[in-house]
């Protein structure tokens, strides 16, 4: 298994990321279909998107056509785009993302807090979710300034009608702190390391799914 950080840059520089990205998206939609067949009808599947993919002329058509070919509800698919990538290409990306949003596809701003986006960007971009970078979660129980920043991000996002997902949650104390500030969802090793498809199904079947942070996870 090769982690993404080891190959994505090379794939982007060589333009191989376009073919890889299409393969990933098709398989992600297949996974969403399998979830539905197993009775999990409201789980949203998120897919990371590269800037190289985003600037392709056929990007929007490919995304919509793939979702339709799998007979999926558009609202079950979310595209994750890193903050630095989206801000760097905001003019080129806006129309494409707006079209996808109009169909019901969710748009997530990944690694939020590490780039240089302004509040005006957050107000105007067609995004539905902020994914707070793990840098804010890692020290949230150790550093008052970090905790205050995290609470501010959550509060600001909610005032903009955006959902907040905290990345990199590894401890119960981090989870409890995020609950205190009404963070909507979390991801991280506290629940599970990244797993292959079949193990993901086992995780759902063995532990169940509770996507509401207020109720916890059993």
């Amino acid at each position: 298994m090769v982690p993404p950080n080891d190959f994505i840059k090379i794939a982007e520089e060589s333009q191989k990321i376009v073919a890889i990205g299409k393969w990933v998206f098709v398989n992600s939609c297949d996974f969403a279909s399998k979830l539905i067949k197993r009775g999990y009808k409201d789980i949203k599947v998120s897919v990371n998107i590269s800037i190289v993919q985003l600037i392709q002329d056929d990007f929007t058509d490919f995304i919509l056509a793939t979702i339709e070919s799998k007979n999926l509800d558009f609202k079950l698919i979310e595209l994750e785009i890193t903050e630095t990538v989206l801000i760097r290409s905001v003019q080129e990306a806006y129309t494409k993302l707006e079209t996808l949003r109009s169909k019901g596809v969710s748009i997530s701003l990944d690694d939020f807090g590490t780039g240089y986006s302004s509040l005006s960007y957050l107000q105007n971009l067609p995004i539905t979710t902020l994914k707070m970078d793990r840098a804010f979660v890692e020290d949230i129980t150790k550093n008052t300034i970090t905790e205050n920043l995290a609470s501010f991000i959550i509060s600001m996002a909610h005032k903009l009608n955006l959902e907040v997902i905290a990345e990199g949650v590894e401890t119960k104390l981090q989870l409890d702190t995020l609950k205190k500030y009404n963070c909507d969802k979390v991801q991280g090793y506290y629940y599970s390391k990244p797993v292959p498809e079949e193990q993901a199904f086992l995780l759902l079947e063995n532990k169940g799914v509770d996507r509401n942070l207020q109720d916890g996870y059993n």
Side-chain angles (χ1 to χ4, degrees):
M1 300 294 287
V2 182
N5 288 345
D6 289 350
F7 72 80
I8 286 182
K9 184 177 180 180
I10 297 172
E12 287 182 334
E13 291 173 350
S14 66
Q15 297 292 308
K16 297 291 186 183
I17 194 68
V18 176
I20 293 172
K22 287 185 175 181
W23 177 84
V24 168
F25 190 75
V26 169
N27 278 272
S28 297
C29 288
D30 284 337
F31 178 67
S33 296
K34 292 175 184 177
L35 285 170
I36 293 172
K37 290 177 182 178
R38 295 193 184 208
Y40 303 104
K41 298 182 179 181
D42 63 345
I43 294 181
K44 188 179 295 183
V45 175
S46 297
V47 188
N48 291 94
I49 298 298
S50 161
I51 178 60
V52 180
Q53 293 173 261
L54 189 59
I55 64 176
Q56 299 299 307
D57 291 338
D58 68 342
F59 174 76
T60 304
D61 291 339
F62 169 76
I63 296 296
L64 295 177
T66 302
I67 297 172
E68 289 176 339
S69 71
K70 305 298 180 180
N71 295 314
L72 292 171
D73 190 325
F74 290 110
K75 70 180 182 181
L76 295 179
I77 301 298
E78 180 174 72
L79 305 183
E80 291 190 17
I81 304 171
T82 60
E83 178 188 1
T84 50
V85 163
L86 186 54
I87 301 309
R88 193 174 67 206
S89 58
V90 63
Q91 296 301 326
E92 192 164 10
Y94 182 86
T95 301
K96 295 177 180 179
L97 297 180
E98 182 66 31
T99 299
L100 293 170
R101 277 294 303 123
S102 70
K103 293 289 188 178
V105 177
S106 298
I107 308 295
S108 174
L109 193 60
D110 201 7
D111 298 335
F112 180 78
T114 59
Y116 303 97
S117 58
S118 68
L119 294 181
S120 62
Y121 278 129
L122 292 182
Q123 182 179 5
N124 296 319
L125 284 172
I127 58 176
T128 55
T129 307
L130 281 188
K131 294 191 71 177
M132 186 165 57
D133 189 77
R134 65 181 63 246
F136 296 98
V137 175
E138 186 177 11
D139 293 331
I140 196 170
T141 62
K142 305 172 185 176
N143 187 311
T144 302
I145 294 177
T146 302
E147 182 177 348
N148 288 339
L149 285 171
S151 68
F152 170 75
I153 290 172
I154 294 168
S155 175
M156 174 192 66
H158 286 166
K159 288 178 180 178
L160 293 172
N161 295 317
L162 300 175
E163 184 178 61
V164 183
I165 300 176
E167 300 179 289
V169 175
E170 298 184 356
T171 70
K172 180 67 160 55
L173 191 55
Q174 290 171 340
L175 177 64
D176 289 341
T177 303
L178 290 163
K179 282 184 181 182
K180 181 173 68 173
Y181 295 114
N182 298 317
C183 185
D184 300 291
K185 299 175 184 175
V186 303
Q187 70 178 56
Y189 282 19
Y190 179 74
Y191 290 136
S192 173
K193 294 181 179 181
V195 295
E197 180 177 295
E198 284 307 315
Q199 289 186 37
F201 289 131
L202 289 174
L203 188 67
L204 292 175
E205 292 165 6
N206 293 338
K207 293 189 175 181
V209 178
D210 185 342
R211 299 170 65 210
N212 188 329
L213 256 182
Q214 307 308 316
D215 295 334
Y217 185 101
N218 298 314

